[in-house]
Amino acid sequence: MFTSGLQHVAAMYAGVVAPPLIVGAAVGLSGTELTFLTGASLFTAGLATFLQTLGIWKIGAKLPFVNGVTFAGVAPMLAIVDTTDKKSDALPIIFGAIIVAGLLGFIAAPYFSKLVRFFPPVVTGTVITLIGVSLLPVAFGWAQGPNPRAEDYGSTTYLTLAAITLVVVLVLRRFTRGFLKQIAVLVGLVLGTVIAVPFGVTDFSPVTQADIVGFPTPFHFGAPQFALAAIISMCVVMLVSMTESTADMLALGEIVDRPADEKTISAGLRADTLGSAISPLFNGFMCSAFAQNIGLVAMTKIRSRFVVACGGGFLVLMGLSPVAASLISVVPRPVLGGAGVVLFGSVAASGIQTLVKAGLEKDNNVLIVAVSLAVGIIPITEPEFYHAFPETAKIILDSGISTGCVAAVLLNLVFNHIGGSRDDDTVTAPMEPGDEISETAGAKAAHVH
């Protein structure tokens, strides 16, 4: 139980600490404050995992289900930071929005579990893909160095360190197996940091300044503030998070031979949303299921929820030890960038895997994915696209995940629910050069185009 629980922590650790690192850096936190925020995320991830695995009353799916900070909230939180004049208010505004979104999600959980049919793979796959694509620019920025205004930003030294880290992770994933393979990202971060020491880009001061034992002081960054636009944005993220968790519960139920019914999904969503509502109290962010741990359950065949609960205990202990939490803040940004390419790219790849099951032979679904991805990618490729809109609206519009999710849900309703679905509209298969076009096929191709 000890080693298996630790393996679950190793598989999810990089994913848990990445969001606070991204958001904390955007806010401009010092190394010590960044360590505190990272520790808080570990602590609240452990609490959320306890809720999900052990459960109380009708809260918790009681499956080997790991919870942690969701990637879906990163882009909207960065948008909130960018549109907040006083950066010290950014985290309180984010925390206030998460509390409201979590409580509303908790109330909606039993009803949401009945609406799964409106969130098929064509919607969830599009959203998960957008999450990865939206975060990849963050990894590219990390790879270029810690300070965009510095003269050495994007230097060959920084890019080489990022490339070395990426290669280490890929080699470990290709030529190792078992536990070492699962912690390839973590090992890549460690080796990349060691290699970076001679280059003088590794700062160990956060470790020397951190206490051995500490507690995430409630509302350390200030009392929560409640801004309507931010609340709406995080409610959209909560919707995405609940959709992902529902899909993960269905998948995990099949793996452990305990199919997730409506009651299980409802209880699991209550744990997700309550964990998210409680997290800001201890300076944590929105919590959701970690899909990589579902793969770990499938690979190891260890299906006990108590093993995962043991992993949650490790997360809590790490959150109560600032020294342990500070270790990740030592990792140079270029090293994080190299690992981030794998980490964020894997999220996008996971979305593509879901889209494979979405029935893309249907023309309707192709249009849903095409337009939703295009809408979601606008803020990435053209950051000033919505410059003429009010600041409150830009919090939502500048998040490709939020806009892409809304577009996917609405288009799915229009094409696949309202007025019935036209299943006969299929995409014409590409032909080899020289193939003849029959009259029927030609007519159908013309109709589709």
Side-chain angles (χ1 to χ4, degrees):
M1 182 178 290
F2 180 90
T3 54
S4 297
L6 186 61
Q7 184 168 245
H8 274 284
V9 174
M12 72 179 295
Y13 184 84
V16 173
V17 300
L21 283 174
I22 298 171
V23 177
V27 174
L29 297 182
S30 64
T32 303
E33 294 292 346
L34 203 57
T35 296
F36 181 91
L37 192 65
T38 302
S41 293
L42 291 168
F43 179 76
T44 53
L47 295 182
T49 299
F50 282 151
L51 269 179
Q52 196 65 266
T53 53
L54 302 179
I56 53 173
W57 185 56
K58 296 181 180 180
I59 302 171
K62 297 183 180 179
L63 290 169
F65 213 41
V66 177
N67 274 47
V69 183
T70 175
F71 277 103
V74 174
M77 287 190 290
L78 291 178
I80 293 173
V81 173
D82 289 340
T83 54
T84 302
D85 295 330
K86 193 176 179 181
K87 297 305 179 186
S88 59
D89 289 336
L91 285 176
I93 290 174
I94 289 171
F95 291 149
I98 292 174
I99 290 173
V100 175
L103 293 176
L104 291 177
F106 184 84
I107 295 171
Y111 306 101
F112 187 90
S113 62
K114 301 177 186 295
L115 301 176
V116 178
R117 68 190 185 94
F118 293 109
F119 299 90
V122 68
V123 174
T124 56
T126 300
V127 174
I128 296 172
T129 301
L130 278 173
I131 292 171
V133 171
S134 297
L135 292 176
L136 277 172
V138 175
F140 302 149
W142 281 349
Q144 297 180 76
N147 186 2
R149 290 179 292 275
E151 291 184 3
D152 61 349
Y153 186 71
S155 67
T156 54
T157 299
Y158 289 146
L159 296 181
T160 300
L161 288 173
I164 290 174
T165 305
L166 175 59
V167 170
V168 169
V169 174
L170 293 177
V171 169
L172 289 173
R173 290 293 298 179
R174 173 63 181 87
F175 296 105
T176 63
R177 59 180 58 189
F179 184 63
L180 185 58
K181 183 176 183 178
Q182 289 298 320
I183 62 171
V185 172
L186 193 59
V187 174
L189 292 174
V190 173
L191 292 180
T193 301
V194 172
I195 294 171
V197 171
F199 294 94
V201 296
T202 306
D203 180 14
F204 291 97
S205 60
V207 177
T208 59
Q209 297 172 4
D211 297 326
I212 297 176
V213 178
F215 184 78
T217 311
F219 301 130
H220 176 80
F221 297 98
Q225 300 179 27
F226 303 96
L228 181 60
I231 290 172
I232 294 174
S233 181
M234 296 314 295
C235 282
V236 172
V237 175
M238 179 59 71
L239 182 67
V240 174
S241 176
M242 292 171 74
T243 303
E244 290 180 36
S245 290
T246 299
D248 288 338
M249 274 185 272
L250 292 170
L252 185 59
E254 294 296 327
I255 291 172
V256 300
D257 294 328
R258 185 189 147 192
D261 54 17
E262 186 178 308
K263 181 179 178 182
T264 301
I265 292 174
S266 179
L269 292 178
R270 284 195 184 99
D272 266 12
T273 53
L274 182 60
S276 295
I278 293 174
S279 287
L281 173 65
F282 300 104
N283 313 283
F285 299 118
M286 189 177 292
C287 294
S288 182
F290 266 56
Q292 59 263 48
N293 292 84
I294 295 176
L296 189 57
V297 172
M299 184 192 73
T300 62
K301 308 297 183 184
I302 299 175
R303 305 174 177 181
S304 171
R305 61 190 173 102
F306 298 105
V307 166
V308 174
C310 181
F314 284 124
L315 291 170
V316 170
L317 291 175
M318 293 173 71
L320 294 175
S321 176
V323 169
S326 69
L327 292 176
I328 193 65
S329 64
V330 172
V331 180
R333 290 290 174 82
V335 173
L336 278 174
V341 171
V342 176
L343 193 63
F344 304 152
S346 295
V347 176
S350 177
I352 295 172
Q353 286 179 326
T354 303
L355 286 174
V356 170
K357 309 172 186 176
L360 293 185
E361 73 279 358
K362 298 178 182 177
D363 191 41
N364 285 351
N365 288 344
V366 171
L367 289 174
I368 293 170
V369 175
V371 175
S372 300
L373 285 178
V375 170
I377 291 174
I378 287 175
I380 303 173
T381 57
E382 292 291 338
E384 300 300 320
F385 189 82
Y386 299 110
H387 72 277
F389 284 74
E391 291 298 317
T392 51
K394 286 169 65 177
I395 291 180
I396 299 173
L397 295 174
D398 283 344
S399 167
I401 297 171
S402 299
T403 54
C405 176
V406 171
V409 171
L410 292 179
L411 288 173
N412 180 59
L413 287 174
V414 171
F415 281 96
N416 290 333
H417 289 276
I418 298 175
S421 175
R422 299 182 62 189
D423 292 335
D424 59 328
D425 285 352
T426 56
V427 179
T428 305
M431 298 184 302
E432 294 296 329
D435 286 352
E436 293 184 0
I437 303 176
S438 67
E439 182 178 351
T440 303
K444 191 167 188 177
H447 170 70
V448 171
H449 288 87

